[in-house]
Amino acid sequence: MDDRNNYDVVVIGAGISGIYAAKFYLDIHPQTQLVILDKDNCVGGTWNSRRSYDSFWTQWTVGTAEFSDVPMVRPPEEDLYYEFFKAKHTTKYLEDYVDQQRHAGRTLRDRIRFGVEVQSVRKHGGEWLVLTKNGTGDSTQTLHARKLIVASGLTSVPKIPVLPGKDNFDGPIIHQEAFGSSDVLSSSHVHDIAVLGGGKSSADIVYSAVKAGKTVSWIIKETETTGPGFFFSPKGKGPYKNAFEVGMTRLAATFTPSIVNDQTWWTWFLHSTTYGIRLMNSFWAMVDKATRVDANFSGRDHAKGFDKLEPHTPIFWQNGTGGLLNHADFFDTIEQNVRIYCADIQSLDKGLVRLKNGEEIPAQALLCGTGWVPSLQFFTPEQCTELGLPHPRKDEPSDEAAHWAQLEAAADKKVLAFFPSLANPTPHYHKPVTKTPYRLYKHIAPLHDADSPDGDHSIAFVGHVCVGNYFRGVECQAMWATAYLDGSLVLPSSKEQEEEVALFTTWCRRRYLNNGEQGNWLTFELVGYTDQLLEHLGLQSHRKGWFRNWFEPCMAKDLVGLKEEYVKKYGCDGVETVETKAAGA
């Protein structure tokens, strides 16, 4: 296929996931006709230049926030905080990356169509038909492809709250997705800003607005909410430079009851015995206490409501949102400059936010850090059901719902046998569950074609998991997805895949409560999950000696030998596999 609208592969999304998924597929198939579609006008997704702002920092560190084949240039010291750095350096890294990667005489950037929004996709006659429209919406086009990689991400479509009276507000109402490209902080017409939301994105917006000289009110919902998020200190312990490095060790990963970790005598002791559970609980209690002490909720001035930022549930459960702090003065800045409300919004009026508790907040702008919905809007409900994507539970066929309920009931017994500590979660608010979880094999592949005679491996999902470091996660997912799309992987039966998916979704629901209902939450499981993918691929060059394997942080450079190992095992266009050479000898 070589004309403008016919391709071998269409990749949806030019963020971290789409960039690397396309790059690795082209590494193996350099002559492939591949196009990347993105509705934005720049590279990077969440990390693109349009969405960036000065106080937007990464939640990952130098040496981990890069692909293994191209190290990132170390940012200047003024842009570093315990090895975390300003997001603009990830933006530049990704911009440079798509210019540097070249296959068959074309860079990745040459293959990106910007300002193109996918409207629908459907399978017809052995190919995918991808209906798109341009940024102005005045023309549509249908692309044809043999294979489809969906890398549209989890933070592309804003979740907009219902705001009665918003038409009367007479001021900008801006979601965090558009905050970086707005002029709200520099506008002389905006003096008072209200920020809605209790997570990390809201905290970043609040901090930015204060530093811009605005009067800021922070509104955290009172009802139907998991409450304010946890904001961790980034400081490390012992030989580790920061908290992220600690979390990127395989040893630290064992201290969470995880279905994706190797089941060893040590994990059995920690999570299945009375003394081990006490040890694990003590560890998490220490982390929880240290985080609360660092914020000093009990010792600060509460005149402006600082105490309302204290999380409602222990940090272990990750029931809400949160993140690592990037500013040494964050808590002091909030205490001294921000009035915090724990209330629901009643309505908006001109220059005013009315709360249900009777209070009124003057505001010329309302900024929303209210979260996201998965970018799957181009799939129909029927397609979501077929592919294993979230869809309304009320629309699920009764026999299908009963089938999964039976699988999950059996899986739940296994989860509680492995991890009895998950049987009695902390008291918490649990949102009504209206959608099914993700049900993708290895969080990448649909289950529907597992037993088909021809093995229709024509669609893969990359980057649809919540992990702490998308670079490592995506790099390993891209390798697995390429092998899957090529039909090179030996997959278990549909029944076995369904049982594995049911085990994960059931565990996820118990482990991460509200967040776990999505079936793709892997906050503390990145290392175990990527090890699992690489093990299924039969790759092992990322492993180190025993001590280093358990105690050293997993860095991007650890994956540097995987491509060569992959090619030896699975081959690439023009290169025979080791197995093929041996057979012909």
Side-chain angles (χ1 to χ4, degrees):
M1 296 183 182
D2 57 6
D3 71 48
R4 182 69 175 160
N5 295 324
N6 291 275
Y7 296 92
D8 297 311
V9 180
V10 167
V11 179
I12 302 176
I16 292 175
S17 303
I19 288 170
Y20 196 82
K23 182 265 180 187
F24 191 81
Y25 194 91
L26 287 164
D27 280 349
I28 305 306
H29 306 290
Q31 300 299 323
T32 290
Q33 295 299 315
L34 179 149
V35 66
I36 306 170
L37 309 177
D38 200 282
K39 65 181 181 180
D40 225 317
N41 59 5
C42 47
V43 166
T46 303
W47 309 94
N48 72 31
S49 56
R50 181 185 64 80
R51 292 173 63 171
S52 187
Y53 48 95
D54 189 61
S55 58
F56 182 25
W57 286 60
T58 66
Q59 292 286 281
W60 42 51
T61 57
V62 175
T64 65
E66 60 196 32
F67 299 124
S68 63
D69 58 333
V70 179
M72 186 187 76
V73 175
R74 183 178 176 83
E77 291 304 312
E78 60 267 26
D79 288 350
L80 290 168
Y81 184 60
Y82 289 97
E83 297 296 287
F84 298 91
F85 52 89
K86 287 190 174 183
K88 65 182 182 182
H89 296 286
T90 290
T91 304
K92 184 179 187 307
Y93 175 82
L94 295 173
E95 291 278 2
D96 291 344
Y97 193 84
V98 297
D99 290 328
Q100 294 164 359
Q101 300 301 312
R102 184 178 295 270
H103 302 82
R106 301 179 67 200
T107 66
L108 280 179
R109 187 183 296 277
D110 294 335
R111 300 171 187 271
I112 302 174
R113 288 198 195 180
F114 291 112
V116 174
E117 185 172 358
V118 175
Q119 299 297 291
S120 67
V121 299
R122 65 187 179 92
K123 192 78 177 290
H124 177 72
E127 64 178 2
W128 287 96
L129 307 182
V130 183
L131 177 65
T132 68
K133 72 173 181 180
N134 62 13
T136 58
D138 56 9
S139 68
T140 61
Q141 200 171 50
T142 298
L143 308 185
H144 300 246
R146 292 189 300 107
K147 296 177 182 179
L148 185 64
I149 298 176
V150 182
S152 48
L154 299 172
T155 55
S156 298
V157 180
K159 182 186 292 183
I160 306 297
V162 176
L163 299 167
K166 65 179 181 179
D167 293 337
N168 303 324
F169 186 60
D170 195 29
I173 300 174
I174 303 170
H175 189 274
Q176 192 250 350
E177 190 270 347
F179 177 62
S181 58
S182 74
D183 63 354
V184 66
L185 296 188
S186 60
S187 173
S188 60
H189 302 293
V190 177
H191 306 285
D192 304 293
I193 289 178
V195 179
L196 174 62
K200 182 63 166 60
S201 60
S202 297
D204 287 343
I205 293 171
V206 167
Y207 184 87
S208 298
V210 171
K211 292 300 182 180
K214 307 298 183 181
T215 299
V216 182
S217 300
W218 190 351
I219 305 168
I220 299 171
K221 287 181 64 178
E222 181 179 22
T223 62
E224 299 180 355
T225 177
T226 57
F230 261 103
F231 305 119
F232 302 76
S233 167
K235 299 174 184 176
K237 299 288 185 182
Y240 303 105
K241 298 176 183 176
N242 50 67
F244 191 74
E245 281 196 358
V246 177
M248 288 294 285
T249 64
R250 290 184 174 85
L251 180 64
T254 65
F255 277 84
T256 182
S258 174
I259 208 74
V260 302
N261 284 340
D262 292 337
Q263 302 304 309
T264 65
W265 70 268
W266 171 244
T267 57
W268 170 82
F269 169 73
L270 273 181
H271 304 298
S272 300
T273 70
T274 301
Y275 290 110
I277 291 171
R278 286 179 184 172
L279 177 62
M280 185 196 69
N281 289 342
S282 297
F283 168 79
W284 282 104
M286 179 180 65
V287 173
D288 189 280
K289 181 179 179 180
T291 303
R292 294 175 191 268
V293 167
D294 190 62
N296 193 18
F297 291 113
S298 60
R300 292 183 182 272
D301 184 357
H302 294 167
K304 294 186 177 182
F306 185 86
D307 56 312
K308 296 181 176 67
L309 286 181
E310 185 159 10
H312 295 175
T313 54
I315 201 168
F316 166 81
W317 294 99
Q318 291 288 296
N319 192 44
T321 61
L324 291 155
L325 293 173
N326 303 118
H327 310 285
D329 65 341
F330 174 80
F331 287 123
D332 292 340
T333 297
I334 302 304
E335 175 194 17
Q336 296 162 17
N337 298 282
V338 179
R339 184 166 293 280
I340 301 168
Y341 299 84
C342 183
D344 299 324
I345 292 179
Q346 175 74 41
S347 64
L348 304 183
D349 209 334
K350 185 174 182 179
L352 207 63
V353 178
R354 290 194 175 91
L355 304 180
K356 288 187 177 180
N357 64 6
E359 294 183 274
E360 296 183 345
I361 302 171
Q364 293 85 50
L366 176 61
L367 309 181
C368 302
T370 47
W372 313 87
V373 295
S375 183
L376 300 168
Q377 67 278 7
F378 37 82
F379 290 105
T380 66
E382 293 76 19
Q383 287 176 313
C384 288
T385 301
E386 180 186 2
L387 294 171
L389 304 176
H391 55 276
R393 286 184 178 272
K394 63 181 180 61
D395 295 339
E396 189 166 41
S398 58
D399 57 341
E400 186 77 1
H403 175 65
W404 282 104
Q406 184 178 17
L407 286 172
E408 291 178 356
D412 195 48
K413 293 178 181 179
K414 294 181 181 179
V415 170
L416 295 182
F418 291 156
F419 310 117
S421 62
L422 300 182
N424 299 298
T426 187
H428 65 283
Y429 169 72
H430 209 98
K431 298 176 184 177
V433 180
T434 60
K435 289 193 172 184
T436 63
Y438 275 89
R439 290 169 178 156
L440 298 171
Y441 185 60
K442 302 299 184 187
H443 308 286
I444 299 171
L447 303 176
H448 73 283
D449 62 6
D451 293 330
S452 63
D454 300 323
D456 177 24
H457 299 172
S458 65
I459 183 171
F461 296 82
V462 176
H464 282 262
V465 290
C466 297
V467 294
N469 180 355
Y470 277 96
F471 282 94
R472 182 183 181 90
V474 162
E475 190 157 349
C476 296
Q477 280 196 323
M479 285 184 272
W480 196 97
T482 298
Y484 170 79
L485 291 170
D486 287 346
S488 299
L489 286 176
V490 177
L491 299 176
S493 68
S494 287
K495 180 177 182 294
E496 291 171 304
Q497 290 188 47
E498 288 180 344
E499 289 173 349
E500 182 175 323
V501 167
L503 184 64
F504 182 88
T505 55
T506 304
W507 164 82
C508 196
R509 188 178 299 125
R510 286 225 176 242
R511 174 65 183 87
Y512 291 117
L513 308 180
N514 278 287
N515 291 327
E517 293 286 359
Q518 300 174 55
N520 65 342
W521 210 262
L522 289 156
T523 304
F524 298 118
E525 279 73 34
L526 172 65
V527 175
Y529 171 57
T530 53
D531 280 352
Q532 192 179 80
L533 289 178
L534 297 176
E535 181 180 352
H536 190 198
L537 286 167
L539 308 180
Q540 56 185 9
S541 60
H542 62 295
R543 294 285 190 173
K544 312 170 188 179
W546 182 88
F547 183 86
R548 295 176 59 214
N549 195 61
W550 284 101
F551 291 93
E552 278 191 4
C554 294
M555 310 296 280
K557 64 183 180 182
D558 299 338
L559 308 182
V560 74
L562 287 173
K563 177 187 168 183
E564 181 180 356
E565 190 181 2
Y566 181 101
V567 170
K568 286 181 179 178
K569 185 174 182 64
Y570 296 102
C572 69
D573 292 352
V575 178
E576 292 182 304
T577 66
V578 172
E579 288 85 350
T580 302
K581 290 179 180 178

